[in-house]
Amino acid sequence: MAIFYSIVEEKVAPSANILSQISSLVSLKLLAQTAADDQIDSAKYKCLVTFDFIRSLGRQLEFDVVQYLFDFV
């Protein structure tokens, strides 16, 4: 969610739609939950795809993902 909110320019309230997108990314095995299910307010996820995949996807969407990353090496 922190990454989402740093990319989106306007204020967006958390919604079921946003949370369902996270669930979809987990079911597609693009993200994996690393914290227990009972910690919904502090759920943590790990990205399961490579940086090259993310960069390629960003190019297709004309989105420079690198400008939002602190350390990507």
Side-chain angles (χ1 to χ4, degrees), residues 45-71:
Y45 297 88
K46 178 172 106 173
C47 182
L48 298 178
V49 296
T50 66
F51 175 68
D52 290 333
F53 177 81
I54 297 297
R55 193 170 35 189
S56 173
L57 184 62
R59 275 194 293 265
Q60 290 176 27
L61 299 173
E62 297 180 8
F63 180 79
D64 183 16
V65 70
V66 174
Q67 76 180 18
Y68 294 97
L69 301 176
F70 174 73
D71 182 11

Side-chain angles (χ1 to χ4, degrees), residues 33-45:
Q33 188 169 3
T34 60
D37 285 335
D38 61 344
Q39 297 177 358
I40 193 164
D41 61 333
S42 63
K44 297 188 188 309
Y45 297 88

Side-chain angles (χ1 to χ4, degrees), residues 2-60:
I3 295 169
F4 172 76
Y5 286 121
S6 71
I7 293 171
V8 174
E9 294 177 3
E10 68 273 354
K11 284 280 192 187
V12 178
S15 67
N17 188 26
I18 293 171
L19 297 175
S20 72
Q21 295 301 318
I22 292 173
S23 178
S24 293
L25 292 171
V26 170
S27 67
L28 291 169
K29 305 225 186 300
L30 300 175
L31 288 180
Q33 188 169 3
T34 60
D37 285 335
D38 61 344
Q39 297 177 358
I40 193 164
D41 61 333
S42 63
K44 297 188 188 309
Y45 297 88
K46 178 172 106 173
C47 182
L48 298 178
V49 296
T50 66
F51 175 68
D52 290 333
F53 177 81
I54 297 297
R55 193 170 35 189
S56 173
L57 184 62
R59 275 194 293 265
Q60 290 176 27

